[in-house]
Amino acid sequence: MDRSYIPPVISGELGRNAPHVAEDRNFYARGPRAPSLFQIDGLPVVGLIEEFGSPLFVFSEYDIRTKAKRIREAFRSRYQKTSFAWSLKTNYLGAICKILQSEGWIAEVVSQFEYEKARQIGFEGNEIVFNGPYKPRAAMKTAIEEGALIQIDNWDELSLAEELVAQHGKVVDIGLRVWLDPEIKPVWSKFGFALENGEAERAAARILENPNLQLHTLHCHIGTYILAPNAYAVTAKKLLHLRDALRARYHYLVPCLNLGGGFPSHSLLHGFAGPAEQVVPPIEAFATAITDVLRELPPGEQPLLRLETGRYLVDEAGYLLSTVIAVKGVNRPALTDGGLSARAYKERMILNEDSRIGYVVDAGINLLYTSAWYQFEILPARTIDAPPVTSRIYGSLCMAIDVIRDHVDLPPLETGDILTIHPVGAYNVTQWMQFIQYRPALVLISNDGKADIIRARETLEDISGPERMPEHLTR
Ligand SMILES: *Cc1c(COP(=O)(O)O)cnc(C)c1O
């Protein structure tokens, strides 16, 4: 037999119950070329790093505005009375909020900090929906005085609202947060009043019987990254049922139905096989599911529909650019001769999957909190003419769990290579933490192709500034 013949590998790993078994099996099915991403909205990735340093968050104004237009048209073309609130906790950078404000969004906040941030950015009190399980007395008092719509989460909060409104002396619009079974799992029961056991109706009754309060909204936010449009139809029907019950008792029709947020972006959860287009329903499917329910009502009884959109609008607008600072792996392949032979690499993977090549990059999960759930796409910023192999991307933290992707197909990279990590626009720049490193700069690429810093890289003063030294330690 010809000694150079490589028999096909049909071996023990076929039935192995390991996460990489499919990828091992398909090793030879991998394409010979690796995709890359050179530019974002016309600006070269390498040039952005040269100008602003690494790592760097980059946001596309074009992408945010395109999504805003699409969701607005998806809903308003089917149901004119739709109002949109921007979920600040998804991304509360002033510049991002301003873009959405200019697209017609009001603000949705879930804490005192976010309330103050929304006001600072330029939302008026009456352009704020105030959610969240903890609204401190002072924050609620301000929100009432400034005309924000408070959505009550629990009985203690309702008591506080009643007390503050009595002092306020004017009738105040109020919303009621409800939780219910939308017929998908998991059911979020932490927030609001239960629908199914009558608790929500009792809370609504208490509001309706209070002459200082006007029940403006029935609200329910069923979760995030919801892939089932029908869950919203179920939610809308159940809230309308509550609205009917209240009308029968009080001859009062609650004017607004708020179905929260939760529409998915094109990110994929770990374990999902792409492409996202085959996993994530289009926004129009959600719009149809919701508005079909509302349009069954006689026009005079159709409520204002409010949505609190977060993830859908901003996730794909955000990129993190990061530089490879080290190449790791047992017997790392020589890069000069095109890497290991496929056979040698394959043997190594079978013998010890940790022989997988690893790259340390200058960003970490401190900046990518959501990497625990989502598998980001990672692409090099130059063409590399070599087949992709399964690689691991380590972050730059001194923590073993700091792995951005445990297995991702990449061509052989070198120190200094720039990678784009995408989509990362939702939640990461609010949930990030400073741990052992400065948080990087953020730039926004405007529609005319200009890159502006919208948050500067942190400095030592930003971090040490709030610290105080007790007198006895200064001696
Ligand atoms: C977080 C949140 C949203 C936004 O959720 P997305 O999944 O990002 O769209 C909306 N409403 C409330 C009450 C929230 O807590």
Side-chain angles (χ1 to χ4, degrees):
M1 198 169 81
D2 181 353
R3 287 199 154 264
S4 67
Y5 171 70
I6 302 172
V9 182
I10 303 170
S11 63
E13 101 270 20
L14 268 179
R16 205 177 59 178
N17 182 20
H20 313 305
V21 61
E23 116 203 352
D24 288 356
R25 220 177 295 155
N26 290 331
F27 186 76
Y28 292 103
R30 210 164 290 188
R33 293 188 56 89
S36 47
L37 183 71
F38 304 108
Q39 52 87 22
I40 301 169
D41 288 3
L43 296 189
V45 167
V46 174
L48 286 164
I49 291 289
E50 275 167 12
E51 186 174 354
F52 299 104
S54 179
L56 180 72
F57 274 102
V58 177
F59 280 87
S60 159
E61 180 169 353
Y62 174 80
D63 198 87
I64 299 172
R65 290 195 189 275
T66 305
K67 295 269 168 33
K69 183 161 183 269
R70 181 161 168 194
I71 191 172
R72 198 170 53 222
E73 284 177 6
F75 278 88
R76 294 229 175 113
S77 65
R78 290 167 174 82
Y79 193 79
Q80 185 56 39
K81 281 166 64 177
T82 310
S83 145
F84 294 96
W86 167 236
S87 154
L88 257 78
K89 78 173 186 293
T90 311
N91 188 323
Y92 40 61
L93 283 157
I96 304 289
C97 297
K98 275 284 187 197
I99 293 171
L100 288 160
Q101 190 182 33
S102 78
E103 292 288 339
W105 264 249
I106 61 170
E108 184 267 335
V109 304
V110 290
S111 68
Q112 178 168 24
F113 157 72
E114 283 197 350
Y115 186 89
E116 291 171 2
K117 188 93 166 65
R119 294 285 290 119
Q120 182 188 54
I121 289 165
F123 291 97
E124 297 298 325
N126 64 9
E127 296 170 328
I128 299 177
V129 178
F130 197 170
N131 280 311
Y134 175 44
K135 306 175 186 79
R137 172 182 285 263
M140 202 195 280
K141 188 164 184 293
T142 306
I144 289 169
E145 282 160 7
E146 295 182 344
L149 182 74
I150 294 167
Q151 305 204 128
I152 301 290
D153 180 81
N154 57 66
W155 293 107
D156 292 298
E157 195 170 275
L158 180 54
S159 300
L160 178 60
E162 287 168 340
E163 181 194 326
L164 293 173
V165 165
Q167 293 162 13
H168 182 60
K170 281 189 232 135
V171 177
V172 168
D173 275 349
I174 212 98
L176 190 70
R177 179 151 185 178
V178 175
W179 73 265
L180 47 76
D181 177 5
E183 297 175 10
I184 52 164
K185 297 265 178 299
V187 175
W188 278 20
S189 59
K190 173 176 172 180
F191 309 102
F193 299 86
L195 182 87
E196 266 92 7
N197 67 6
E199 187 189 28
E201 189 174 334
R202 280 186 284 128
R206 191 159 130 186
I207 292 171
L208 288 166
E209 284 165 14
N210 185 328
N212 298 321
L213 294 175
Q214 173 111 346
L215 184 56
H216 177 271
T217 299
L218 298 176
H219 169 264
C220 183
H221 171 65
I222 56 177
T224 193
Y225 193 75
I226 305 291
L227 297 174
N230 188 54
Y232 289 91
V234 171
T235 303
K237 281 181 202 155
K238 289 188 172 184
L239 288 182
L240 286 178
H241 194 74
L242 172 61
R243 185 175 182 245
D244 278 346
L246 294 171
R247 175 160 70 167
R249 255 172 88 184
Y250 293 95
H251 308 290
Y252 173 78
L253 203 54
V254 180
C256 177
L257 219 63
N258 182 333
L259 296 183
F263 303 132
S265 67
H266 272 193
S267 210
L268 290 172
L269 294 170
H270 291 302
F272 278 17
E277 287 73 13
Q278 293 177 7
V279 177
V280 178
I283 195 67
E284 291 76 15
F286 293 91
T288 304
I290 293 171
T291 59
D292 278 359
V293 173
L294 301 182
R295 288 203 315 214
E296 276 173 26
L297 298 173
E301 295 180 16
Q302 290 175 354
L304 172 69
L305 169 64
R306 181 163 281 159
L307 299 165
E308 299 164 343
T309 41
R311 181 184 303 284
Y312 169 80
L313 284 172
V314 80
D315 204 17
E316 283 142 285
Y319 300 77
L320 178 60
L321 315 189
S322 184
T323 306
V324 175
I325 49 181
V327 182
K328 302 191 84 145
V330 187
N331 296 330
R332 84 179 244 216
L335 295 167
T336 42
D337 63 9
L340 288 178
S341 77
R343 181 182 179 188
Y345 197 89
K346 169 93 175 144
E347 282 172 353
R348 187 167 296 162
M349 290 216 298
I350 293 168
L351 284 174
N352 175 7
E353 62 190 29
D354 261 0
S355 66
R356 180 180 316 153
I357 192 159
Y359 300 102
V360 186
V361 300
D362 62 1
I365 58 169
N366 51 327
L367 306 179
L368 295 170
Y369 186 82
T370 69
S371 62
W373 299 280
Y374 295 93
Q375 43 169 326
F376 304 127
E377 184 174 47
I378 300 185
L379 294 173
R382 66 180 173 100
T383 315
I384 299 169
D385 237 346
V389 293
T390 305
S391 314
R392 181 180 286 136
I393 304 292
Y394 292 108
S396 52
L397 302 179
C398 286
M399 291 166 86
I401 61 161
D402 184 22
V403 176
I404 295 171
R405 283 290 304 270
D406 187 58
H407 43 289
V408 55
D409 286 352
L410 283 170
L413 304 174
E414 291 170 21
T415 307
D417 261 321
I418 296 165
L419 301 175
T420 55
I421 305 172
H422 180 257
V424 299
Y427 295 101
N428 292 301
V429 302
T430 50
Q431 295 179 341
W432 58 1
M433 59 178 174
Q434 175 265 311
F435 182 57
I436 77 167
Q437 268 155 19
Y438 299 114
R439 278 173 285 204
L442 272 90
V443 299
L444 176 75
I445 304 180
S446 63
N447 278 359
D448 55 13
K450 200 155 71 57
D452 290 299
I453 290 187
I454 56 171
R455 191 178 198 269
R457 177 182 183 269
E458 282 175 348
T459 64
L460 185 58
E461 179 55 24
D462 292 325
I463 295 155
S464 308
E467 289 188 27
R468 300 291 179 268
M469 193 63 72
E471 212 275 320
H472 73 280
L473 296 177
T474 61
R475 276 177 262 135

